[in-house]
């Protein structure tokens, strides 16, 4: 147990701090995951040049080309958070497609798509879930049939964030309808401008349209836009899902949120008394603080395991389940602490924190469900982590997908 | 930067585990405590042989000079095997008190005996974190009077360390005039608890104490109790999973029902981060003094909550059998329940955590 950073890392931390301070005027305004602004693209280029984003991606694909160094990556993340500086692009293209292409893409695909994705020139969306294929993703039915050199795609995707702005989609389609269901899927890349694609915004309980539905009617896509082999899409997609699950449940987000609630309870009053004086609210806050700390130290343990190349086992499997639930409970406490002020929303007078607590409380429920529901996570923990058996298949179930 | 146990620490934990594997089986423990709470001298001398009793005693006094993190790892194994020995008072709290506040002569008198496993020490800290039934020890003319409750440690401990109402630590010898000890019987017979009534009892002050000697002892004790819960709860989870893979109902292993799997997954999901929290709390005690109190409070409070959840959930997975004496699952259940209240229940220690952070 040694939590100190050695001198070269201390120096690296200092360099990151100096860089952020020196270039403060170039910080772009915080943007959503949609189309990046010109300022954001310039910032992204500068960060790549410094090796503060796309750090380990080879230079020939538009990355920095550094050696993997988990501690440096961690220091970069910590210092950007501490300074409140915007990080590099983090949409689904950068965080999910790029790692997938590096692992499974052809040389031509890597050379063509990775640089354009990293620079922010091309924005991606992800076409995985369907109305009938959520937790059971392998039952997806969007069909791609052969027609000469092309596939003709028909079907529907849902939960497609940024689809209305995206230039391209990475999409799972069924190309071999007669194969066993996990072996009949292919992973395609195609333009969202292709005729026959219709995007409809999907408004959620938050009042915003964070997602879309995407409809495909006779969408013609060249067959060479496939990643991996025909019928291999499930393995390619799992490479991507692994990257997504790693993103959900980050304990540092919970820690930031906890600090905001501490401040809120110090400043806000009820009957003229600080909320922090209320022993019931305070006890809830402390219970959540225990959980946040436990997840942060669990994160340090995972980091060390990653550096040592060790399998962290259950410690990793629980992060999505526990982290998302924790964030949800933190938002719930903030709302309860604010009481009637906590129910204000939209553009109401007396609104606190721009309504973020209610929005988070609702959106976090979406994160508990999305990216593998809490129930699917518990199946994974019990089956992979604890070695318990899978639910037996009903005797009459048919094997292949229809 | 390394948040992990060292090779040596894993080896030490392994050696204690191997020693206890066939010497502290459930049947053995059941037999040892058949007549009531006990500190078992046989197991203790075996642990002394492994060098465990003097883990925190400096090498110059015949110990291993190790850290609270090391002691925490031992306690985790002791909790896992519900071992009826008084490791926390004798081998953790007593050496730490003597090192923090004892004179050279006191250290020389007691530390080597502790390290060799020749001497048991009881420790009364309960009044420093919530006096019940009007308990408390006062000092008049270097003599102690009053009452100390929930004193941790063996009934025949050679000395008992007590905290006075002024925050000083005193040692009283067994059999001292005016001292009367009664055993308290808790749900958990693997731990010894006593009540001391004192009437003008001659006592030795540990004089070199800095202001925070008692709070530091509480920190250490709380981390150790958290570690004990960690080991006991981990065992209860493993027992639940194992039972679910043996027991059949409706022609299926009950471990193949999602209702049971999800309960086990929830136990694992709650318990696994606790391991890192307890590691860090012990590390903070050793190396990050400014965080020590806060982390000890959180470790104690959180393990108490998660331990309770695991204890009842594991019992439920075992169904009716979990409720019987036959299976013996209740030994872990009770150990966790006992630890939850000792040295401050979760609400109490969370309140301390709020004060430490200046929130109130």
């Amino acid at each position: 147990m040694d939590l100190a950073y050695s001198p070269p890392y201390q120096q690296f931390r200092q360099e990151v701090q100096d860089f952020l301070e020196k270039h403060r005027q170039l910080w772009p305004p915080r943007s959503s995951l949609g189309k990046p602004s010109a300022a954001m693209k310039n910032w992204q280029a500068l960060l790549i040049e410094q090796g503060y984003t796309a750090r380990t991606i080879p230079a020939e694909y538009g990355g920095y080309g550094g050696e993997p160094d988990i501690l440096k990556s961690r220091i970069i993340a910590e210092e950007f958070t501490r300074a409140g500086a915007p990080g590099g692009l983090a949409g689904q293209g950068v965080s999910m497609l790029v790692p997938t292409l590096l692992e499974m893409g052809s040389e031509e695909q890597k050379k063509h798509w990775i640089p354009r994705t990293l620079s922010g020139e091309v924005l991606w969306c992800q076409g995985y879930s369907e109305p009938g294929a959520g937790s059971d993703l392998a039952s997806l039915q969007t069909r791609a049939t052969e027609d000469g050199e092309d596939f003709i795609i028909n079907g529907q995707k849902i939960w497609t964030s940024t689809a209305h702005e995206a230039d391209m989609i990475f999409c799972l389609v069924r190309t071999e309808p007669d194969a066993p269901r996990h072996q009949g899927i292919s992973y395609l890349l195609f333009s969202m401008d292709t005729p026959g694609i219709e995007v409809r915004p999907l408004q959620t309980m938050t009042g915003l349209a964070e997602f879309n539905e995407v409809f495909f009617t006779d969408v013609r896509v060249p067959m060479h836009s496939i990643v991996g082999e025909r019928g291999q899409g499930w393995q390619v997609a799992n490479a991507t899902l692994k990257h997504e699950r790693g993103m959900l449940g980050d304990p540092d987000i919970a820690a930031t949120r906890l600090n905001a609630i501490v401040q809120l309870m110090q400043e806000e009053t009820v009957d003229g008394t600080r909320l922090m004086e209320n022993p019931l609210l305070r006890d809830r806050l402390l219970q959540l603080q225990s959980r946040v700390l436990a997840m942060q130290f669990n994160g340090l343990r995972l980091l060390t395991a990653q550096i040592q190349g060790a399998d962290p086992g259950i410690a990793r499997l629980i992060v999505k389940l526990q982290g998302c639930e924790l964030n949800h409970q933190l938002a719930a406490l903030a709302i309860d602490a604010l009481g009637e002020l906590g129910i204000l929303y939209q553009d109401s007078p007396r609104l606190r924190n721009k309504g973020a607590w209610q929005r988070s409380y609702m959106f976090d429920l979406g994160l508990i469900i999305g990216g593998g529901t809490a129930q699917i996570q518990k199946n994974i923990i019990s089956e992979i982590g604890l070695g318990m058996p899978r639910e037996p298949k009903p005797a009459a179930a048919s094997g292949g997908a229809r | 930067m390394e948040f992990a146990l060292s090779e040596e620490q894993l080896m030490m934990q392994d050696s204690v585990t191997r020693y206890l594997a066939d010497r502290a089986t459930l049947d053995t423990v059941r037999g040892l405590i058949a007549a009531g709470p006990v500190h078992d001298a046989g197991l203790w001398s075996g642990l002394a042989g492994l060098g465990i009793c003097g883990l925190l005693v400096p090498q110059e006094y015949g110990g291993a000079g190790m850290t609270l993190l090391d002691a925490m790892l031992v306690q985790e194994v002791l909790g896992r095997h519900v071992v009826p020995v008084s490791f926390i008072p004798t081998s953790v709290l007593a050496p730490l008190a003597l090192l923090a506040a004892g004179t050279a002569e006191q250290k020389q008198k007691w530390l080597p005996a502790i390290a060799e496993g020749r001497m048991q020490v009881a420790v009364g800290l309960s009044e420093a974190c919530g006096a019940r039934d009007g308990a408390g020890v006062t000092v008049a003319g270097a003599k102690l009077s009053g009452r100390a409750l929930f004193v941790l440690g063996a009934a025949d401990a050679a000395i008992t360390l007590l905290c006075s109402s002024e925050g000083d630590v005193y040692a009283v010898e067994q059999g001292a005039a005016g001292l009367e000890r009664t055993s308290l019987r808790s749900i958990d017979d693997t731990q010894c608890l006593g009540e001391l009534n004192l009437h003008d009892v001659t006592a030795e002050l540990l004089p070199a104490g800095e202001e925070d000697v008692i709070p530091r002892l509480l920190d250490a004790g709380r981390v150790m109790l958290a570690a004990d819960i960690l080991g006991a709860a981990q065992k209860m989870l493993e027992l639940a999973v194992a039972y679910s893979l043996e027991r059949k109902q409706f022609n299926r292993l009950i471990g193949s029902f999602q209702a049971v799997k999800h309960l086990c997954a929830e136990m694992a999901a709650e318990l696994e981060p606790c391991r890192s929290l307890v590691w860090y709390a012990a590390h903070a005690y050793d190396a990050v003094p400014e965080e020590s109190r806060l982390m000890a409070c959180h470790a104690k409070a959180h393990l108490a909550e998660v331990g309770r959840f695991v204890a009842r959930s594991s019992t439920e997975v075992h169904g009716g059998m979990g409720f019987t004496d036959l299976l013996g699952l209740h030994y872990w259940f009770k150990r966790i329940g006992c630890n939850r209240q000792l040295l401050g229940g979760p609400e109490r220690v969370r309140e301390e955590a709020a004060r430490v952070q200046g929130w109130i």
Side-chain angles (χ1 to χ4, degrees):
Chain A
M1 193 70 74
D2 175 11
L3 302 186
Y5 286 87
S6 62
Y9 287 107
Q10 291 174 24
Q11 190 191 331
F12 181 76
R13 188 184 291 280
Q14 188 62 49
E15 285 167 22
V16 180
Q17 287 171 354
D18 292 347
F19 169 85
L20 287 175
E21 188 51 44
K22 187 174 155 201
H23 295 91
R24 188 175 277 269
Q25 75 285 358
L26 294 180
W27 294 9
R30 289 207 163 266
S31 61
S32 65
L33 296 177
K35 271 282 190 201
S37 63
M40 185 63 219
K41 284 186 195 169
N42 289 337
W43 182 241
Q44 172 78 359
L46 187 58
L47 295 188
I48 293 175
E49 187 187 312
Q50 291 293 321
Y52 294 163
T53 196
R55 181 170 178 82
T56 58
I57 295 169
E60 56 180 317
Y61 306 139
Y64 173 72
E67 287 296 309
D69 188 326
I70 293 154
L71 276 187
K72 282 190 177 171
S73 301
R74 165 103 190 166
I75 288 169
I76 293 164
E78 281 176 358
E79 290 308 320
F80 274 67
T81 305
R82 194 195 312 264
L89 291 175
Q92 289 178 321
V94 171
S95 54
M96 294 173 70
L97 177 71
V98 167
T100 303
L101 285 181
L102 284 170
E103 210 169 308
M104 316 285 273
S106 70
E107 193 54 34
E108 194 188 337
Q109 285 165 336
K110 291 182 201 176
K111 284 213 164 99
H112 186 78
W113 291 118
I114 295 177
R116 288 169 174 78
T117 305
L118 291 181
S119 68
E121 180 190 334
V122 174
L123 181 70
W124 292 84
C125 61
Q126 177 205 62
Y128 281 13
S129 297
E130 297 179 5
S135 293
D136 184 14
L137 184 59
S139 69
L140 62 90
Q141 292 180 33
T142 292
R143 182 74 65 86
T145 48
E146 252 181 273
D147 183 41
E149 300 286 289
D150 298 329
F151 283 124
I152 308 291
I153 300 172
N154 282 285
Q156 183 193 346
K157 295 291 175 182
I158 193 169
W159 307 119
T160 326
S161 32
T162 67
H164 55 296
E165 295 177 276
D167 306 293
M168 293 287 294
I169 183 168
F170 51 100
C171 190
L172 290 179
V173 295
R174 188 163 297 285
T175 49
E176 334 294 318
D178 299 326
R181 57 193 217 142
H182 289 95
Q183 289 156 41
I185 298 169
S186 296
Y187 189 106
L188 300 182
L189 312 178
F190 53 92
S191 167
M192 288 297 285
D193 292 333
T194 316
I197 300 180
E198 186 196 348
V199 176
R200 292 186 207 154
L202 183 61
Q203 186 167 327
T204 69
M205 67 194 292
T206 66
L208 303 173
E210 297 100 334
F211 301 98
N212 301 278
E213 292 176 285
V214 181
F215 296 85
F216 303 117
T217 311
D218 294 332
V219 176
R220 182 172 285 271
V221 172
M223 287 178 80
H224 64 75
S225 59
I226 200 163
V227 178
E229 301 294 323
R230 265 181 83 147
Q232 232 191 19
W234 184 251
Q235 290 88 309
V236 179
N238 270 317
T240 318
L241 280 176
K242 184 176 71 191
H243 296 293
E244 178 180 60
R245 294 222 171 106
M247 289 159 61
L248 293 172
D250 180 355
D252 290 341
I253 294 175
T256 305
R257 200 175 276 193
L258 181 90
N259 289 338
I261 300 175
V262 171
Q263 192 181 351
L264 180 156
M265 286 177 54
Q266 301 272 31
E267 290 169 358
E268 297 279 352
T269 61
V270 60
D271 294 334
T273 306
R274 286 188 315 142
L275 295 178
M276 194 62 98
E277 304 293 334
N278 179 317
L280 298 177
L281 290 174
R282 190 167 67 233
D283 193 64
R284 277 178 65 184
L285 176 65
L286 283 152
Q287 289 189 45
L288 291 173
Q289 188 179 37
S290 292
R291 292 179 166 278
V292 171
L293 289 167
M295 290 308 291
Q296 283 189 293
F297 300 135
N298 188 66
L300 287 182
R301 187 175 158 208
L302 293 180
L303 183 71
T304 299
Q306 207 183 345
I307 293 169
Q308 297 175 343
D311 175 15
I314 289 180
R316 180 181 60 81
L317 298 178
I318 59 155
V319 170
K320 197 265 171 183
L321 177 69
Q322 295 299 93
C324 292
E325 177 64 27
L326 181 54
N327 280 331
H328 187 61
Q329 289 184 17
L330 284 162
L333 172 59
I335 290 167
D336 292 350
L338 287 168
E340 286 142 319
L341 287 170
I343 61 177
L344 298 177
Y345 204 46
Q346 307 282 10
D347 54 356
S348 171
R350 304 198 178 279
L351 186 67
R352 298 299 201 270
N353 199 16
K354 299 180 185 162
W357 293 118
Q358 281 289 1
R359 200 161 46 250
S360 297
Y361 180 72
M362 290 187 262
F363 193 73
D364 285 343
L365 194 49
L367 291 179
I368 287 169
I369 296 165
T373 65
Q375 288 66 38
I376 291 289
Q377 300 299 325
K378 289 177 192 175
N379 282 351
I380 294 172
I381 294 165
S382 56
E383 287 164 18
I384 299 176
L386 299 174
M388 299 176 83
R390 291 178 70 104
E391 187 94 349
K393 288 206 167 73
S398 65
R402 270 154 291 151
Chain B
M1 217 307 294
E2 185 178 284
F3 192 86
L5 303 178
S6 68
E7 282 291 317
E8 294 75 20
Q9 285 166 333
L10 291 170
M11 278 167 58
M12 179 196 63
Q13 231 184 0
D14 189 50
S15 77
V16 181
T17 301
R18 276 187 286 119
Y19 175 75
L20 292 173
D22 42 350
R23 290 179 187 81
T25 62
L26 180 58
D27 282 345
T28 318
V29 170
R30 203 192 277 272
L32 290 173
I33 62 175
V38 75
H39 160 81
D40 185 64
L43 286 170
W44 191 250
S45 77
L47 290 170
L50 295 176
I52 295 304
C53 301
L55 210 61
L56 294 185
V57 173
Q59 288 175 345
E60 55 183 306
Y61 297 105
M66 293 167 93
T67 65
L68 194 75
L69 180 59
D70 300 296
M72 177 247 122
L73 295 171
V74 169
Q75 191 65 42
E76 182 190 353
V77 182
L78 296 176
R80 183 182 175 84
H81 293 86
V82 285
V83 184
V85 293
S86 300
F87 183 74
I88 295 177
T90 299
S91 293
V92 177
L93 299 176
L96 292 177
L98 285 167
L99 291 172
T103 61
E105 190 191 337
Q106 287 168 334
K107 291 178 199 169
Q108 194 58 57
K109 184 163 55 167
W110 289 318
L111 286 175
I114 289 172
E116 288 165 28
R118 285 190 285 114
M119 179 175 148
Q120 284 293 309
V121 184
V123 179
L125 283 174
S126 173
E127 285 68 44
C129 50
R132 303 277 171 173
D133 283 349
V137 174
T138 55
V139 187
K143 303 227 169 185
L144 302 188
S145 294
R147 175 178 300 144
L149 291 177
F150 310 109
V151 174
L152 307 172
D156 59 353
I159 59 168
T160 300
L161 301 180
L162 294 172
C163 54
S164 72
S165 51
E166 286 90 32
D168 291 315
V169 180
Y170 286 84
V172 296
E173 293 195 13
Q174 197 197 23
L179 175 67
E180 180 201 332
R181 183 189 186 278
T182 315
S183 284
L184 296 174
R185 182 114 189 230
S186 78
I187 49 170
D188 177 21
D189 284 341
T190 67
Q191 302 193 61
C192 299
L193 297 175
E195 166 176 346
L196 295 193
N197 284 288
L198 305 99
H199 306 280
D200 290 329
V201 175
T202 305
E204 257 189 62
L205 174 67
L206 274 56
E210 289 169 19
E211 240 172 46
D212 67 345
V213 57
I214 287 171
R216 281 287 279 172
L217 289 179
L218 279 176
D219 293 349
R222 286 168 175 170
V223 172
M224 297 300 289
L225 289 167
D228 198 76
I229 296 176
L230 177 68
Q234 179 67 39
K235 177 71 177 180
M236 286 196 88
L237 168 60
E238 290 168 17
L239 288 171
V241 171
Y243 185 79
S244 81
L245 299 182
E246 287 169 9
R247 167 80 172 166
K248 280 190 172 174
Q249 287 286 275
F250 306 102
N251 293 320
R252 278 170 60 181
L253 290 175
I254 63 167
S256 70
F257 288 105
Q258 287 194 340
V260 174
K261 287 164 69 178
H262 286 193
L263 197 49
C264 292
E266 285 164 19
M267 285 190 259
E270 289 289 308
L271 190 56
E272 197 59 32
C274 287
R275 185 174 305 281
S276 302
L277 178 61
V278 178
W279 286 359
Y280 188 81
H283 172 75
Y285 183 92
D286 293 326
V288 197
E290 67 276 17
E291 292 184 5
S292 171
R293 179 119 342 117
L294 179 63
M295 294 305 163
C297 287
H298 274 301
K300 177 68 171 51
H302 192 53
L303 268 292
E305 305 288 20
V306 172
R308 170 176 275 183
F309 170 69
V310 171
R312 62 83 40 101
S313 301
S314 171
T315 306
E316 275 188 275
V317 169
H318 284 81
M321 286 305 290
F323 185 62
T324 65
D325 178 54
L326 203 64
L327 218 64
L329 195 67
H330 63 90
Y331 289 103
W332 287 271
F333 183 99
K334 290 169 180 171
R335 182 120 163 180
I336 291 170
C338 184
N339 288 338
R340 179 182 168 100
Q341 308 303 339
L342 293 174
L343 303 186
E347 292 79 11
R348 167 111 195 173
V349 287
R350 281 196 291 267
E351 197 67 354
E352 285 185 37
R355 289 184 201 287
V356 169
Q357 297 177 91
W359 290 356
I360 46 173

